[in-house]
Amino acid sequence: MDRHEQRRRPGGPDTWKTIDELHDWLDAETGVPPEQDLLLRMLKLSEEVGEVAQAVIGATGQNPRKGVTHSWQDVEAELCDVIVTAMVALRTLTPDAAATFDGHVRRIAARSHGRSGSAQNTPDTSP
């Protein structure tokens, strides 16, 4: 894959540039101290995950009072919100979020392929 193709892949350099921009915008707009802002960004993940659950319940019509209220495309959008929120939270913890994430994904991939090494010393995040 050449550099041009790599730039268009989700999670590539353009995505992390956008995450940096969102992080900077949020930093400029927040009115709370940095320590509190960090905690609130972590808590925001729970809110977004709850919206995924709500969309799944709505897409499957599991609330008999409401019936089908969402589509699977709504679930996709909510999952994307979770991912972006997590990326911004990671960027809040470290300016080198892209490298941190890439390294972690590589460790998970190595573990999933039965490889040993540094992956043994990382927390288990497998589904």
Side-chain angles (χ1 to χ4, degrees), residues 26-44:
L26 287 168
D27 274 358
E29 294 296 320
T30 187
V32 297
E35 301 81 21
Q36 186 178 1
D37 189 46
L38 173 64
L39 295 175
L40 291 171
R41 289 188 193 174
M42 301 303 145
L43 290 175
K44 180 73 173 160

Side-chain angles (χ1 to χ4, degrees), residues 10 19 31-32 47 69 77 86 99 117 122:
I19 295 302
V32 297
E47 177 189 6
T69 59
T122 60

Side-chain angles (χ1 to χ4, degrees), residues 88-105:
V88 170
L90 180 61
R91 173 57 186 86
T92 302
L93 286 173
T94 176
D96 203 6
T100 300
F101 182 73
D102 185 52
H104 193 76
V105 168

Side-chain angles (χ1 to χ4, degrees), residues 46-118:
S46 293
E47 177 189 6
E48 296 296 343
V49 169
E51 290 175 11
V52 171
Q54 181 180 17
V56 169
I57 289 167
T60 58
Q62 292 304 302
N63 183 335
R65 186 174 53 81
K66 295 181 180 180
V68 175
T69 59
H70 291 74
S71 69
W72 287 105
Q73 289 76 26
D74 294 326
V75 176
E76 291 172 0
E78 296 299 345
L79 285 169
C80 288
D81 286 349
V82 170
I83 293 165
V84 169
T85 301
M87 292 172 83
V88 170
L90 180 61
R91 173 57 186 86
T92 302
L93 286 173
T94 176
D96 203 6
T100 300
F101 182 73
D102 185 52
H104 193 76
V105 168
R106 289 174 194 263
R107 288 188 295 277
I108 291 170
R111 226 179 20 243
S112 71
H113 292 97
R115 299 180 200 140
S116 61
S118 63

